[in-house]
Amino acid sequence: MRKVAVGLVLALACAISGTGEEAEKALPRCELKLWNGSLIKGTFSDLQSIEMKTKHGKLKFAIKDVRSVAWGNVKKEELDSVTATDGTYKGWIEDLAPLEVDTGYGVLKIPTSAIRTLRMIHDGKGVLADFETDSLEDWTKFGSMAWTVTNGKLQGQPSGNYDNIQLNEVFEGTYTIEVEVTGANNAGILWNAQDANNSNALWLSPGSVRVFGGGTWYNQQFSTWGANYAWNSTIRVKIEVDGAKAVVYLNDSKLGEVTVTNSSGRVGFFSISQVATFDNLRVTR
């Protein structure tokens, strides 16, 4: 049905042009990763929606509401997934005609059998997790640590290991992470995470804020800054990510800048010593 090898070796970049009414009508930018490793950037010429079959019926997603799409590996019997503004859904994406992508240098027609993931870039829009429901279906847990939603906040009960939880969506390029953390004593934020261990990490402790990474997020330290806050207080953390570079803020004050290794991946949380809570996560591009 899909996973046909396609000899596309492209790494093209483009941007939406136009002002006024043209800008309002312009489709958001997109990035397609192919099964052969190629990356294609551009805008869709005519894609308006994506349909998916699920065990409970058929769903239709307007492209303006889609954040990302992943086609599962048929040989491994993996389901397809669509992450929309209201959550992540799994099933079987209906067959589509080859997608027409305007790269700025011409239009490419790409069969969906060649596409591994699709990411929509809605400028000015973000991913918001306020944990007003107890569902964690948009997240993946790594390790035995218990993660629950309690009183509108994500709460982690340490297991004694380096366990964590990560939002399923992959972020690349330039984006900003904002979150409120309570009980930040050997707890923190992961970004550009590739898996359970390969990630960049902002490690929060009363008295110091450190950045780790280098393949394993708890081994190699890249930077450290002084920070004074009570361990049981709520602090506001902001990380401005630009590929492998990041600028870190605590309670609206800039702590410093750091260059790490990974330049893309998922966002997540960890807590090592005691219970920590996370709330009002916002990731904006």
Side-chain angles (χ1 to χ4, degrees):
M1 176 178 174
R2 52 176 176 263
K3 313 301 175 282
V4 178
V6 175
L8 293 172
V9 183
L10 299 166
L12 306 173
C14 70
I16 297 175
S17 61
T19 59
E21 292 184 1
E22 289 185 3
E24 290 181 1
K25 294 179 181 179
L27 286 171
R29 290 173 290 144
C30 62
E31 293 184 354
L32 292 82
K33 282 189 175 180
L34 308 187
W35 286 97
N36 67 4
S38 299
L39 174 66
I40 297 174
K41 300 181 181 182
T43 58
F44 286 124
S45 298
D46 58 1
L47 183 64
Q48 299 296 321
S49 62
I50 293 175
E51 295 186 359
M52 169 182 277
K53 287 183 179 179
T54 73
K55 295 179 179 179
H56 307 288
K58 183 180 292 187
L59 299 174
K60 185 174 183 178
F61 306 92
I63 201 66
K64 66 181 180 63
D65 297 325
V66 172
R67 300 205 307 254
S68 62
V69 181
W71 280 266
N73 189 322
V74 172
K75 293 181 180 180
K76 296 181 179 179
E77 298 184 347
E78 294 175 345
L79 295 176
D80 304 328
S81 66
V82 175
T83 299
T85 53
D86 61 346
T88 298
Y89 301 86
K90 294 184 180 295
W92 302 268
I93 295 172
E94 296 279 76
D95 288 336
L96 296 168
L99 303 185
E100 296 186 3
V101 181
D102 185 346
T103 67
Y105 301 94
V107 176
L108 296 177
K109 291 187 177 181
I110 305 170
T112 56
S113 60
I115 304 172
R116 182 177 183 180
T117 60
L118 158 66
R119 183 169 75 96
M120 302 303 302
I121 304 173
H122 304 274
D123 291 327
K125 294 184 178 181
V127 176
L128 174 65
D130 57 12
F131 304 108
E132 290 305 309
T133 69
D134 59 3
S135 173
L136 291 175
E137 63 178 10
D138 292 341
W139 299 77
T140 297
K141 302 176 185 179
F142 295 95
S144 61
M145 181 173 176
W147 292 93
T148 57
V149 176
T150 304
N151 298 323
K153 296 183 178 182
L154 175 65
Q155 180 173 286
Q157 179 69 52
S159 65
N161 299 312
Y162 294 100
D163 299 336
N164 58 87
I165 188 170
Q166 297 176 17
L167 189 63
N168 294 331
E169 187 166 353
V170 172
F171 298 92
E172 297 177 283
T174 302
Y175 59 94
T176 299
I177 305 166
E178 297 175 270
V179 65
E180 297 172 359
V181 187
T182 305
N185 187 6
N186 290 326
I189 297 105
L190 303 177
W191 78 95
N192 289 346
Q194 303 295 309
D195 52 41
N197 297 309
N198 186 0
S199 178
N200 304 318
L202 185 71
W203 199 300
L204 303 165
S205 300
S208 69
V209 173
R210 296 167 291 167
V211 175
F212 282 76
T216 303
W217 60 266
Y218 42 83
N219 275 348
Q220 183 178 353
Q221 180 172 306
F222 285 95
S223 190
T224 183
W225 306 286
N228 293 315
Y229 61 85
W231 71 266
N232 58 350
S233 64
T234 297
I235 58 176
R236 299 182 306 279
V237 181
K238 180 167 73 172
I239 308 172
E240 295 178 343
V241 180
D242 185 0
K245 298 181 179 180
V247 183
V248 178
Y249 299 82
L250 188 68
N251 292 331
D252 301 322
S253 295
K254 180 179 176 179
L255 292 180
E257 303 178 15
V258 64
T259 298
V260 287
T261 48
N262 295 349
S263 58
S264 66
R266 296 181 294 275
V267 171
F269 303 124
F270 65 92
S271 181
I272 305 300
S273 302
Q274 62 190 44
V275 174
T277 61
F278 304 85
D279 197 16
N280 295 322
L281 169 68
R282 181 182 295 274
V283 184
T284 52
R285 299 184 176 96

